[in-house]
Amino acid sequence: MAESDQGKSPNANAQKKLAQKHLLQSDGLYQYILETSVYPGESECLKELRELTANHPRGLMAVPADEGQFLMLLLKLINAKKTIEIGVFTGYSLLCTALALPPDGKIIGIDMNRESYDLGRPIIENAEVAHKIDFREGLALPILDELVQTEEMLDSFDFAFVDADKVNALNYHERLLSLVKIGGLVCYDNTLWSGSVAEPPDATMSELGRSIRHYTIELNKALAADKRIEISLLPIGDGLTLCRRIS
Ligand code: SAM
Ligand code: CA
């Protein structure tokens, strides 16, 4: 035990150790990350789409820039060529993906709302990556069901990003494990749901927030118990769980 810890209760020491396991302690520190490591390298098109999305009434739905940057690096590290995204909105994470893929890369982007995607589409077209994108308008579950019935789609994707309705996350999981190849990644966004997953059951929150918290906790439990994947829950953005398919 460190000298400064002697005399403290085991609980206080445990708490101090826990606090040392994560880095973000202030908005200032987050701003520091954005300004030193994210914004300087951000391409013009991503900046433009991020700013357009920030002015949208539901702009908070887009992944933050540091998470977008992480996803791009991850896609390059795994040499992803074929990906799928559930929940496109204005296309910020989709554009991150399209920019990270090689020129012949392909993304299927699914969203039931084409209007939001149409807002971002001119920026995506100007970025000259629209040819990589196959946008499919509609509910994700029937679209995934159709994909799993297509022989050449099975075990063919390198990467999937899930950022839509949390109530269906486990339904998406079953389909995606047939579509993503062994060794590929399925990533779930918002798996910490503003930290609410660790709050007591009687904590004050909206009915919708409580319902999403419930489905997020169920998803987290199921992913941790799923022997077909190995996982890591990263405290980036609102929580991002990486699942590598191993069987
Ligand atoms: N990934 C996007 C980004 O980072 O910019 C944000 C996606 S936003 C959080 C969620 C999107 O999922 C919304 O655009 C919504 O229309 C879509 N969505 C929600 N439920 C859906 C469903 N059942 N099927 C298809 N799309 C759905
Ligand atoms: Ca999200």
Side-chain angles (χ1 to χ4, degrees):
M1 189 185 291
E3 222 171 279
S4 60
D5 291 343
Q6 281 173 9
K8 286 188 184 163
S9 73
N11 247 356
N13 282 332
Q15 211 143 15
K16 185 177 166 205
K17 276 189 187 157
L18 192 68
Q20 286 166 341
K21 285 202 182 252
H22 61 90
L23 289 173
L24 297 184
Q25 293 167 351
S26 66
D27 291 346
L29 185 54
Y30 183 54
Q31 200 59 32
Y32 173 84
I33 293 173
L34 292 174
E35 281 166 13
T36 59
S37 301
V38 181
Y39 294 154
E42 187 183 37
S43 57
E44 262 316 302
C45 56
L46 277 177
K47 181 167 186 271
E48 201 185 335
L49 185 50
R50 178 168 58 76
E51 289 174 352
L52 177 141
T53 305
N55 289 323
H56 188 286
R58 305 189 72 196
L60 268 179
M61 291 210 299
V63 299
D66 54 323
E67 184 178 343
Q69 181 196 47
F70 172 75
L71 290 172
M72 290 176 77
L73 191 61
L74 186 61
L75 286 157
K76 290 178 187 175
L77 284 170
I78 66 166
N79 287 319
K81 267 186 103 166
K82 187 174 174 187
T83 78
I84 183 164
E85 173 167 307
I86 304 176
V88 168
F89 187 41
T90 60
Y92 185 77
S93 51
L94 192 74
L95 179 55
C96 289
T97 307
L99 291 168
L101 294 188
D104 60 344
K106 293 279 172 237
I107 316 162
I108 294 179
I110 304 172
D111 204 297
M112 61 188 190
N113 180 346
R114 177 181 277 279
E115 262 174 53
S116 327
Y117 177 56
D118 280 343
L119 293 174
R121 204 151 56 104
I123 298 174
I124 293 173
E125 277 163 9
N126 274 343
E128 297 182 355
V129 290
H131 63 282
K132 301 181 192 176
I133 297 171
D134 171 3
F135 178 82
R136 306 210 182 170
E137 181 184 7
L139 290 174
L141 210 48
I143 294 176
L144 288 176
D145 277 337
E146 206 181 304
L147 289 174
V148 294
Q149 276 157 29
T150 312
E151 184 75 32
E152 69 260 29
M153 289 291 168
L154 299 176
D155 303 313
S156 72
F157 291 82
D158 303 298
F159 178 88
F161 182 57
V162 183
D163 190 15
D165 52 334
K166 310 308 174 197
V167 57
N168 269 313
L170 280 171
N171 292 325
Y172 299 150
H173 186 61
E174 285 313 309
R175 277 102 181 141
L176 290 170
L177 282 190
S178 304
L179 295 170
V180 168
K181 51 175 80 153
I182 291 180
L185 280 181
V186 182
C187 300
Y188 292 92
D189 201 32
N190 306 98
T191 47
L192 294 176
W193 194 240
S194 309
S196 69
V197 288
E199 281 175 20
D202 57 355
T204 311
M205 60 186 84
S206 69
E207 273 315 297
L208 179 64
R210 188 175 302 284
S211 153
I212 296 178
R213 170 184 185 273
H214 167 78
Y215 289 113
T216 307
I217 290 173
E218 292 305 305
L219 172 69
N220 290 342
K221 274 196 235 163
L223 295 180
D226 192 333
K227 299 276 179 276
R228 299 166 297 176
I229 52 174
E230 47 193 16
I231 68 167
S232 178
L233 199 176
L234 302 176
I236 190 168
D238 191 26
L240 174 71
T241 302
L242 312 188
C243 309
R244 178 172 177 269
R245 184 180 168 203
I246 51 175
S247 72

